[in-house]
Amino acid sequence: MKVSVKFILTLLILIAFFSCKNRAGERVILGDEQTESYLPLLEGKRIALFSNHTGIVGDKIILADDSVHYGGNDLYGKDDAGRLIHFGRDERGGLIRYGEHILDYLLSQGVYVTAIFCPEHGFRGTDDAGAHIASSIDEKTGVPILSLYENASTHAPSAENMAKFDTLVVDMQDVGLRYYTYYITLYYLMDACAANGKTVVIFDRPNPNGFYVDGDMLKERFKSGVGRLPLPTVHGLTWGELARMINGEGWLTAGKNACPLTVIPCKNYSHATRYALIRAPSPNIKDMRAVYLYASTCYFENTIVSVGRGTDFPFEVFGSPYFKDIGNNDFSFIPQSIPGAKNPPFLGQTCYGTDLRSKSLKTIWKEESNLSYLIQAYADAKSAFSDKNPDDFSAYFWGRLSNGRYWIDLLSGSDSLRKGIEAGASVEEIKQNWQDDLNAFKKQRKPYLLYADT
């Protein structure tokens, strides 16, 4: 039978189309599920685990009816009438159960885990931001949790602790923002491993904000505890990709490609994927809307504006006691002392501002990092403090630090965002100033990508 070239080409196109469609509909397989790829690498090694409460193998959850779900599904990512359920609850408000933690799984497979490192908020993820994490013992397994807070300037592990392992295994959920500090701990651990001849194996996980790149680049003189590497605010990389970039760009003290690194990539994932997490990555990010809004509302930290710490909806609102009867701030909330926010800004005071919980996820995705909230609040504050001269008002609103710098500059990576807002620039004008740097960064990161780009 004679088959035309046109028929063959059409058939190939259809096969490719449906193959792509099937792959796109498949569950994302995390690095920690791919045991055949990493257990041989760990055999006979002393293992240190860098993880926290988010290291659930496969992001597996079990509901009250014993049905099994996985990360990336619509349990926490769906958007009914502008409301999302909080992590850790089902649709009826009942508590869910989590699958096996990576520490328990590694031990069950005979892996010799000699130590645990954990980031800000602790191994169980319950400590306040910036809280000191002391060395301790994991009660369930007896494995030592080694403090990374012995060196206040770097939070790097001590030489004594580095001698306790051969290979560092990394399995932790990040949210993909430069000022979300978990990656800084990863950087310091990689730096120490490079200096001490230790290998690093990363079980990769999706970046829930991995579908876009936005924000100013961190400039050298604005490096701090909330920004360590020359990245934009939203870098769009998974930890596996970021670690490859850290290594390949020579950002480690020991130089280019100094860290022996293996990444176990996710399967069925791309940078277009909208991956829903299964539990709060840190105490004040309670649902997926907060994950997405964090790129916009975290800029308010340490200003005279609260982001809702001490409520059930942090980073999904903003307001201030000073905004009563100012503008359209008809929404109010009162921060309380709660776990993860023991002493929030404006404790017990009524804050007047804006509720973002009615925004659909699709709208937030489209807006990416939305600077209009910051511009709006700055204008409201100027109205509330019209009697202050410009310099005094700027220091008061932004929260000038003792060294003369501003916290907003550390968060944004430079002083251009603050100065743009003070000068009355629009969102479009401010973002246009970032564009050349963002284009250069996208080109720079390309060799390190493990997944199809958007």
Side-chain angles (χ1 to χ4, degrees):
M1 183 178 79
K2 195 171 183 179
V3 181
S4 70
V5 173
K6 184 176 180 181
F7 174 80
I8 293 174
L9 288 174
T10 302
L11 182 62
L12 289 173
I13 290 171
L14 288 172
I15 291 172
F17 172 77
F18 285 108
S19 295
C20 290
K21 186 175 181 180
N22 290 338
R23 282 197 297 272
E26 291 175 345
R27 180 175 74 84
V28 174
I29 308 297
L30 306 188
D32 61 16
E33 299 179 77
Q34 301 172 54
T35 55
E36 72 286 350
S37 297
Y38 66 78
L39 285 179
L41 302 176
L42 310 184
E43 188 174 356
K45 306 288 187 182
R46 297 174 302 156
I47 303 302
L49 176 65
F50 178 42
S51 186
N52 64 3
H53 62 291
T54 64
I56 303 300
V57 178
D59 270 357
K60 180 180 177 181
I61 55 178
I62 305 98
L63 303 187
D65 62 1
D66 291 328
S67 62
V68 174
H69 297 257
Y70 293 90
N73 66 24
D74 64 357
L75 181 64
Y76 292 111
K78 67 183 180 180
D79 198 17
D80 295 332
R83 293 290 182 263
L84 299 180
I85 57 176
H86 278 182
F87 294 126
R89 300 280 179 176
D90 62 21
E91 291 174 304
R92 297 181 179 180
L95 290 173
I96 66 169
R97 290 172 286 155
Y98 291 103
E100 196 168 22
H101 191 277
I102 186 60
L103 173 61
D104 302 321
Y105 178 75
L106 291 177
L107 292 173
S108 75
Q109 298 301 303
V111 175
Y112 184 30
V113 182
T114 59
I116 298 167
F117 292 113
C118 62
E120 185 179 18
H121 304 300
F123 189 58
R124 299 300 172 187
T126 56
D127 293 286
D128 279 10
H132 176 81
I133 309 298
S135 294
S136 60
I137 299 290
D138 178 56
E139 292 183 2
K140 182 177 181 180
T141 63
V143 178
I145 301 173
L146 304 180
S147 176
L148 290 168
Y149 287 73
E150 296 161 317
N151 184 333
S153 63
T154 67
H155 301 316
S158 66
E160 179 185 359
N161 287 342
M162 288 300 298
K164 295 178 180 178
F165 68 95
D166 306 306
T167 297
L168 178 72
V169 168
V170 179
D171 187 19
M172 190 186 317
Q173 185 61 59
D174 189 62
V175 300
L177 280 297
R178 189 191 59 236
Y179 42 60
Y180 199 72
T181 61
Y182 291 172
Y183 82 93
I184 301 178
T185 307
L186 172 66
Y187 167 81
Y188 285 127
L189 284 170
M190 286 182 63
D191 202 49
C193 286
N196 290 273
K198 310 293 184 178
T199 58
V200 176
V201 179
I202 294 181
F203 301 164
D204 213 10
R205 288 174 167 268
N207 176 355
N209 284 302
F211 55 93
Y212 74 108
V213 176
D214 199 7
D216 204 357
M217 295 289 294
L218 176 66
K219 308 303 188 292
E220 180 70 26
R221 70 187 183 96
F222 293 98
K223 285 183 177 179
S224 72
V226 293
R228 178 61 184 80
L229 300 177
L231 304 167
T233 306
V234 186
H235 53 70
L237 299 166
T238 68
W239 264 22
E241 294 171 323
L242 178 58
R244 282 160 52 89
M245 190 170 188
I246 288 170
N247 214 20
E249 289 297 305
W251 292 342
L252 298 174
T253 304
K256 191 173 183 178
N257 294 318
C259 181
L261 175 67
T262 299
V263 177
I264 310 300
C266 300
K267 294 180 179 179
N268 308 322
Y269 175 74
S270 80
H271 285 282
T273 304
R274 304 298 196 271
Y275 187 87
L277 308 186
I278 63 166
R279 67 188 315 180
S282 54
N284 287 287
I285 296 184
K286 299 180 184 292
D287 62 29
M288 283 307 299
R289 180 173 290 104
V291 170
Y292 298 129
L293 284 172
Y294 189 67
S296 305
T297 55
C298 187
Y299 286 132
F300 285 117
E301 295 279 39
N302 290 320
T303 68
I304 63 168
V305 180
S306 166
V307 294
R309 289 184 184 271
T311 72
D312 284 335
F313 35 80
F315 297 106
E316 301 179 64
V317 301
F318 61 91
S320 174
Y322 305 112
F323 291 173
K324 185 178 182 180
D325 302 323
I326 298 292
N328 297 314
N329 298 302
D330 54 356
F331 168 73
S332 66
F333 57 92
I334 303 175
Q336 305 289 342
S337 180
I338 60 176
K342 294 177 183 177
N343 188 30
F346 304 116
L347 175 65
Q349 300 182 53
T350 302
C351 296
Y352 303 88
T354 300
D355 185 355
L356 303 173
R357 288 174 293 167
S358 62
K359 281 205 165 190
S360 71
L361 297 189
K362 288 184 178 180
T363 299
I364 297 170
W365 296 341
K366 184 177 180 181
E367 292 176 347
E368 299 182 347
S369 59
N370 189 333
L371 303 179
S372 67
Y373 309 144
L374 201 57
I375 292 173
Q376 171 192 330
Y378 184 80
D380 288 347
K382 282 194 77 172
S383 177
F385 294 98
S386 57
D387 58 328
K388 284 187 175 290
N389 69 56
D391 185 62
D392 286 343
F393 168 73
S394 182
Y396 189 69
F397 179 81
W398 300 116
R400 184 183 289 164
L401 302 173
S402 59
N403 58 9
R405 298 202 291 177
Y406 294 88
W407 191 257
I408 181 65
D409 297 348
L410 303 183
L411 289 171
S412 62
S414 79
D415 57 9
S416 68
L417 174 59
R418 173 176 58 84
K419 289 182 176 179
I421 292 175
E422 290 174 351
S426 66
V427 171
E428 293 75 18
E429 289 169 333
I430 293 171
K431 288 199 171 192
Q432 186 58 44
N433 289 334
W434 300 339
Q435 202 54 55
D436 288 346
D437 283 346
L438 289 181
N439 291 338
F441 172 75
K442 289 178 182 179
K443 184 177 180 180
Q444 180 188 20
R445 76 174 193 159
K446 195 168 185 179
Y448 309 107
L449 296 181
L450 294 167
Y451 312 100
D453 205 359
T454 52

